[in-house]
Amino acid sequence: VGAYKLSFYFNRDHIASFFTGMVYALSGYTVAHGQHFFLLVGAAWMPFVILYYLKLNEDRQLINVFKCGVFLFLMFSGGYQAISIFLLYFLLLLFFYFIIREIKKKNLRNAFSIFRYNIYLAFVTILFCLPLIISTLDVLFSVERLESGVNIQKALSGGLSLGSLLSFIFPFATVKNNEFFGTD
């Protein structure tokens, strides 16, 4: 639905938008990551975020601020963090595009309006994300990795020991000598 709406925003053709939505939903990314639900959630919300961010900067209406804020919250709370960070970088590029476009047109009033509505979006998104932020701060001291970080020795040691790496290459080798391979 998100890819359909985003496509329809650009081309105003229901048939082309329907096929765009189907191609997006059945693309290799979504089919291959069926077991990684958080990746699918991020892929589902991303077109909505982009659509309402474009509408927000074009129309500058408060309803688009709230819609984009809701979908950003859904992205942050359910989607994969790396996709959310990438999406924020993309939105930042779009923000600069809209600001520079208005400055080139010598329309500083619209540039300031775009800036103001993006501040509203940041405020609304943070407001929606407050339960997520507060709960993360509450459990921060319960999770060792979040409290103290990962030390340099652990980060440089790698995730696979030699035995685990061998079991990755030769999976049936782990049937015996579990202690050596570090598997159970």
Side-chain angles (χ1 to χ4, degrees):
V1 172
Y4 169 84
K5 287 184 171 215
L6 183 60
S7 175
F8 190 76
Y9 177 78
F10 286 113
N11 65 29
R12 301 289 180 209
D13 184 352
H14 289 286
I15 295 171
S17 298
F18 173 77
F19 282 110
T20 301
M22 293 302 295
V23 167
Y24 187 75
L26 299 173
S27 69
Y29 179 82
T30 56
V31 172
H33 290 294
Q35 75 272 21
H36 301 120
F37 193 66
F38 52 92
L39 294 171
L40 295 178
V41 169
W45 298 136
M46 192 170 20
F48 287 106
V49 172
I50 294 169
L51 171 67
Y52 290 116
Y53 190 75
L54 290 171
K55 284 184 174 185
L56 169 118
N57 287 300
E58 290 287 339
D59 303 337
R60 290 181 291 285
Q61 295 177 357
L62 284 178
I63 190 68
N64 292 324
V65 170
F66 288 109
K67 287 179 179 179
C68 189
V70 164
F71 285 111
L72 275 170
F73 163 71
L74 292 171
M75 185 76 177
F76 294 150
S77 63
Y80 187 53
Q81 295 87 357
I83 296 174
S84 299
I85 292 169
F86 168 76
L87 184 61
L88 286 178
Y89 287 146
F90 182 66
L91 295 182
L92 188 63
L93 287 172
L94 286 175
F95 170 74
F96 285 126
Y97 165 76
F98 284 112
I99 292 289
I100 291 169
R101 183 183 73 176
E102 293 302 323
I103 291 173
K104 280 187 173 182
K105 290 180 185 177
K106 299 192 184 331
N107 196 342
L108 295 179
R109 175 177 241 143
N110 279 350
F112 180 73
S113 179
I114 289 170
F115 183 77
R116 186 172 40 131
Y117 274 86
N118 277 273
I119 294 293
Y120 295 159
L121 176 63
F123 178 75
V124 165
T125 303
I126 290 171
L127 188 66
F128 286 150
C129 289
L130 272 178
L132 180 64
I133 294 167
I134 291 170
S135 63
T136 301
L137 291 174
D138 280 346
V139 300
L140 189 64
F141 303 109
S142 302
V143 180
E144 180 184 348
R145 185 177 58 180
L146 293 177
E147 182 182 17
S148 62
V150 178
N151 62 27
I152 190 70
Q153 291 83 13
K154 179 112 174 146
L156 293 176
S157 69
L160 293 175
S161 65
L162 179 61
S164 296
L165 182 61
L166 289 173
S167 71
F168 180 71
I169 296 170
F170 304 108
F172 290 116
T174 61
V175 174
K176 294 184 181 179
N177 301 326
N178 295 341
E179 299 80 29
F180 172 75
F181 288 107
T183 62
D184 58 1

